[in-house]
Amino acid sequence: MAGKQVVIDCRNVVKRYGTFTALRDVSTRVHKGEVVCVIGPSGSGKSTLLRAFNGLEAIQVGMIEVLGLHMPGTRKELEAIRRRAGMVFQGFNLFNHMSIRENLLLAPMTALGLTRDLADDRAQNLLDRVGIGNQIDKYPTQLSGGQQQRVAIARALMMQPEVMLFDEPTSALDPEMVGEVLDVMRDLASQGMTMVVVTHEMGFAREVGDRILFMADGQLLVDQPPDVFFASPTDERQAVFLSKVL
Amino acid sequence: MTFDVNVLPTHFPELIDGLLLTLRICLLSMAFGAFGALFLCLGKLSGRGSGYHVSVFVIDFFRTIPEVVLIFWIYSCLPLLFGARLSAEVCGIMALSLLVAANVAEIMRAGVQSTDQGQLEAAMSLGVPAHTIWLRIVIPPALQRMAPAFVNFMTELIKATSLLSTIGVAEMVYQANVLGNRTFAYVEFLTLVATIFFAIIFPLSLFVRHAEARLAHQKSR
C-alpha cells in the first residue's frame, strides 16, 4: 500500500477521560480504497479511536490527519473534514422529527449548497441502492432497525464522502437485520470506498476487511491481513479474544 | 340563600371586560416574559461568566419568592424608591412578566438540554453548519418537548392573574367582587368566575395530559 494516498494518518494518539486513558499511543494509517476493520473487547478504545477520526473526541497527545487536513483545526476546517468523511453510528441517530427525505437532504442542501432537485435525485438513487427507495416519505420510527441503519448509511453517502467511518453499525440490530446492513457495506466496499469499520462481526471482517486492527486496553496491538489475523494469532490477548468470539 | 342566575346577564359586560383584561394581561406577560426568558435561558446555557451567574440568580430568585410579595413589592415599593407611580395594570404585568421569564427560562433550558446527543453528533459528523443544527435539530424537538410544561405554566399564570385583584387591577375576579358588593349576589358571580376559569384551564390541562402521554409514547419506541 506504500504508493497509495493516505486518507487517515494517526500518530502516537493519546486520549484521556480524567484519569482513565482510553487510547495509549495509537498510530496507524488508512490508505485510499482500503477496508480496515477494528475489533477488540468492549472498552478497548476502538470506538473512541473512530470518533477521534471525525473530531467527536478531542485527543490530548499525538496528531490525526484526515484527507490531508489536520484535526481538529478551526470550526470551519473541522466542518470541511466532516463533509468529506461520512460516519455511521451504532444507534442510527436519525433525525426522528424529519422524514427520511429530509434526513437525507439536510446536510447536502445546507452544507454543500445543493439544489433541492439535485439532492432529491441523489437521495432517491441512494435509497434505491440500499433497497428502501419506497420509504422516502416515511419517518424514521416507522422503519425497522435495519432499514433505519440503511437510511443512516445513505444519509452519510449523500455527501459523497471519500471515507466512511462505521461505529459498530450492526450492534444495536436484531440478528435477522444484521445481514441487510452488512450487504450494503459489502456493496460499498466492492465499489472501492475507503472504510474504517468498528465491528463485532468477525465474518464480515474476515471476508471484506483488507486489514484487521486489534485493540485492547486502549492499545493498538495487532495490524494484520485477515487471513493471518484469524489463522495464526501473534498476541496473547488476540488469541484469548479470538477463542471467545470464533 | 338563593341562587338567582337572572342577576348575571345584566352585568355580563363588566364581567366580559374583566375577562378580556385577564386575557390581555396573560398575553402581554407571556410575550414580555418569554422574551426575557430567552436571554435568561441563553445565559444559563452558556455555563460560565457573569451572564451565567446573573441568569441563575434571577431565575432562582423569581421562582422562589411568593407571587403576592412580588406583586405588592412592585406596586408599593417601586413608587417609594423611584418616585414614579405606575398604574396597577402595568405593575401587574411587570410582576407576572418576571414570573414568566424565570419559569419559562427553566422550561426552555430543559427542552434544549434534552436534545438527543446522538442526533447532535450525526448532524456534526455531516458537517451541517452550527446555526442550521440549532434551527433544524435542536429547536423543533425541544419545542415539542417543552409544550406540556409550557402550557402547564400558562395555566398557573392564568390563575395568578387573579392575585392582581389585590392591587386593584379590574380583572375578572376583581369585577366579580365589585359586582357582588353592589348586588349581594356573591355566590352567583364568584361561581360564574370559577366556572369561567375552569372552562379555560381544564382544556389546557387535558392538552398537557395528552401531550405528555404522547411524549412518553415516543420515548418508549
Side-chain angles (χ1 to χ4, degrees), chain A residues 51 54 75 79 82-83 85 87 89 93-98 106-107 110-111 141 155 159, chain B residues 116-130 132 136-137 140-141 144 221:
Chain A
R51 289 165 57 81
N54 205 248
R75 192 170 59 93
E79 278 180 6
R82 284 167 166 169
R83 284 167 196 165
M87 177 124 184
F89 300 86
N93 296 355
L94 296 179
F95 311 131
N96 287 330
H97 58 290
M98 298 184 188
L106 178 69
T110 60
T141 50
R155 180 176 68 178
M159 302 296 282
Chain B
D116 185 305
Q117 285 306 306
Q119 292 187 22
L120 215 51
E121 287 186 349
M124 290 192 297
S125 79
L126 287 161
V128 176
T132 309
R136 302 285 305 276
I137 307 301
Q144 203 193 0
R221 274 198 299 200

Side-chain angles (χ1 to χ4, degrees), chain B residues 39-44 50-60:
Chain B
F39 288 97
L40 290 175
C41 170
L42 289 175
K44 192 157 177 180
S50 52
Y52 169 76
H53 292 290
V54 169
S55 302
V56 169
F57 175 76
V58 170
I59 289 170
D60 286 345

Side-chain angles (χ1 to χ4, degrees), chain B residues 5 18 27-28 32 66 73 85 92 110 122 131 140 142 150 170 176 180 182-183 195 211:
Chain B
V5 291
L27 288 178
L28 287 174
F32 292 132
W73 199 92
R85 177 160 283 287
H131 66 272
F150 184 78
R182 208 189 299 161
T183 62
T195 311

Side-chain angles (χ1 to χ4, degrees), chain A residues 4 30 38 43 95 108 135 157 212 217 234 237:
Chain A
K4 282 217 170 184
V30 177
V38 188
F95 311 131
Q135 315 276 21
L157 293 175
I212 311 287
D217 301 320
T234 48
R237 278 176 284 186

Side-chain angles (χ1 to χ4, degrees), chain A residues 101-114:
Chain A
R101 185 194 304 273
E102 292 169 313
N103 265 273
L104 266 62
L105 262 49
L106 178 69
M109 286 181 63
T110 60
L112 301 180
L114 241 61

